[in-house]
Amino acid sequence: MGKLYVRVDDRLIHGQTVVAWCPTLGIQEIIAVDDVSAANPMLKSILTMGVPKNYKTSIVTTQEARELLCDGSEKTRLLIVKFPQKLEELRQQIAGCEKLILGNLAKRPDTVHKVSGATGIFYLSDSDVEILDSLAQSGIDVVFHQLPTSAKTAWKDFKATL
Amino acid sequence: MAEIIVIGHGGYAEGIRSNLEMVIGVPEAMHFLNFTMGMDRSELEASLNTLAESLKGKELLLCVDLPGATPFQLAAILSAQDPEHCRTVVGLNSMAYMELAMDPSGTPEDLARHAMETTANSLALFP
């Protein structure tokens, strides 16, 4: 099996991810999970327009992501979801991932936690914290890290501030 | 005659405006939206929608800095809703913006195609 990296970024496929993270992690394939975009061909083409052709890119539903992630691909993959909630639905498929990188998470009505230290915008709800903490406890390396070159904060360091 | 909206990251739009101002002046038909640090997507979306609403009934050419990024996505969604009267073009250079500022007459599609040609034809390498 190829390596799997997971990115949480509410902008889904973003220039920062494509230009900075993909080369750094040696990504060969991008799988972006968003049920709304996956059902809309126009949105799909808009979202993939900024991705260079050398990355195989799919925008898929949650169910399609489950199937893709079990296909035994040898490629190094980046799975992108908008919010931590989606990881709960893909828990089994991301169990062996190399790293879970939290990117941009803008303020939402229920986001009571603001992460400081790492460069970038990170707002989390109680439920986000619960999900991410349980993934971290299961052995996944969870980190707040907007860009490979910017300051990062490890999950345990954020947890210690709660 | 199209209304032209320039949108980009950081001071891109403001930079294009000031660039035009110094060289040939800025026509009323050109509008500029900056997507600056600390702003989120919904704020830019709201500014773009308000501007588009104020130009309702007119043809629009949206010019953005990068393919795929937030300004592009918002512009592309707006164009896709009304492709007859609205087009999005990506990555124009100063020469193309100057031509648009001097003569924004034509359909958004014609203006976009011409501006892309101008951009491609005004690249140079010396020596």
Side-chain angles (χ1 to χ4, degrees), chain B residues 2-122:
Chain B
E3 298 285 324
I4 293 154
I5 304 177
V6 183
I7 320 165
H9 294 80
Y12 176 82
E14 175 51 29
I16 297 297
R17 196 198 61 75
S18 124
N19 177 281
L20 290 172
E21 193 170 49
M22 182 165 175
V23 187
I24 54 156
V26 180
E28 275 180 22
M30 279 186 100
H31 313 268
F32 304 88
L33 290 179
N34 292 306
F35 184 36
T36 50
M37 199 81 93
M39 261 175 95
D40 67 23
R41 183 189 171 104
S42 60
E43 291 171 80
L44 182 65
E45 190 171 21
S47 311
L48 177 58
N49 288 342
T50 306
L51 180 57
E53 189 60 33
S54 75
L55 300 170
K56 206 174 177 153
K58 298 187 171 167
E59 298 201 298
L60 298 181
L61 178 62
L62 310 176
C63 308
V64 301
D65 55 347
L66 284 168
T70 301
F72 168 80
Q73 290 182 15
L74 296 175
I77 289 168
L78 195 65
S79 309
Q81 287 165 357
D82 188 10
E84 288 290 297
H85 304 104
C86 183
R87 281 280 196 279
T88 294
V89 67
V90 189
L92 299 183
N93 66 9
S94 264
M95 187 69 104
Y97 281 118
M98 265 170 229
E99 286 188 353
L100 286 171
M102 283 189 285
D103 184 12
S105 59
T107 65
E109 161 122 24
D110 292 342
L111 287 170
R113 289 194 184 282
H114 183 71
M116 286 165 77
E117 251 172 60
T118 299
T119 296
N121 293 337
S122 55

